[in-house]
Amino acid sequence: AAVLVSGESGTGKELVARTLHDLSPRREGTFLALNCAAIAPTLMESELFGHEKGAFANASERHLGCFEQADGGTLFLDEITEMAVEVQATFLRALEEGQVRGVGATASIPVAVRVAAATSRLPASAVKEGKLRQDLFYRLNVFHLALPPLRERGDDIPLLARYYLESFGEKYQRPIMPWASDFVGALLAYSWPGNVRELRDVMERLALLAPGPNLTAADVQQCCVNAMLEDNPDNDHQIMLRL
């Protein structure tokens, strides 16, 4: 079945799609991820469905599209709402018919691909705003997984923090420092606008740079302030208020 995964940036949408693939009968097939926001609209059809040699300028050889490359496996389309609406219509047809026709091709090719799509927008809002075709939404929404932001998953934060600290400690051959009593409280008090991705980055900084001998609330605050100042160098006052 098609799967639609929604959630804020950094909540782990691709990880969910990979896990679904790994636990499915398609696990031996290819898992192919494509970020729709990173592909120019004029190239999206070629990227998805392929093209024939000479189909357009610079098409010097036949190109297999993502559907053919992921045949028998899973195709993960991140930020599906950034795909041009015109391409969404062709994409929907490929989903419904189970076959694709590359740019410049004269015949369609059958493919057996499970599609998992993700969006950081609210799907219903994306439909209302015209960013996602309603018929494509219905086709993708066979199974919908809505990932909550990290700030709503308080019990997960210390578990993830410990996992990442241990992973980075092993990677960089650094000792795992014990947690001071205020460390977890600081993790839980922070809003984590970048979600799990931001938590991972902060734990990597701590594994490398924390002075020790314990990890404290001050270490968390220092790492978060530094990361936020890099993104918002003129907004240090508001950053301190948030912390």
Side-chain angles (χ1 to χ4, degrees), residues 176-243:
I176 307 301
M177 287 181 283
W179 295 359
S181 58
D182 59 356
F183 180 72
V184 173
L187 293 178
L188 296 175
Y190 183 54
S191 61
W192 300 109
N195 293 294
V196 181
R197 183 183 294 118
E198 182 183 11
L199 175 64
R200 178 186 183 277
D201 293 343
V202 168
M203 293 305 107
E204 184 172 15
R205 287 180 183 230
L206 290 178
L208 285 169
L209 303 175
N214 299 321
L215 292 174
T216 68
D219 294 322
V220 175
Q221 294 167 358
Q222 185 64 40
C223 280
C224 293
V225 167
N226 287 341
M228 295 172 73
L229 283 174
E230 290 171 3
D231 294 333
N232 304 278
D234 298 323
N235 200 26
D236 56 334
H237 177 64
Q238 291 298 321
I239 289 170
M240 292 306 300
L241 289 177
R242 289 181 60 183
L243 291 171

Side-chain angles (χ1 to χ4, degrees), residues 12-114:
K13 297 186 288 295
E14 183 172 345
L15 180 61
V16 166
R18 285 185 180 274
T19 303
L20 288 171
H21 172 79
D22 291 342
L23 295 176
S24 78
R26 296 177 180 269
R27 66 178 68 89
E28 301 301 326
T30 299
F31 178 91
L32 184 63
L34 179 69
N35 187 341
C36 297
I39 307 297
T42 54
L43 299 176
M44 182 58 79
E45 285 200 34
S46 173
E47 195 67 30
L48 286 173
F49 312 121
H51 63 251
E52 297 296 316
K53 179 179 179 179
F56 49 83
N58 299 323
S60 57
E61 58 184 19
R62 185 173 185 269
H63 169 68
L64 290 180
C66 290
F67 269 93
E68 286 185 82
Q69 295 179 51
D71 193 15
T74 301
L75 175 59
F76 173 66
L77 296 173
D78 197 10
E79 299 300 348
I80 185 69
T81 56
E82 304 309 308
M83 181 188 292
V85 175
E86 298 78 10
V87 181
Q88 289 184 26
T90 310
F91 174 62
L92 174 62
R93 189 179 308 116
L95 281 179
E96 293 181 335
E97 297 178 355
Q99 54 186 7
V100 296
R101 179 180 296 186
V103 179
T106 57
S108 298
I109 300 172
V111 290
V113 175
R114 188 244 285 278

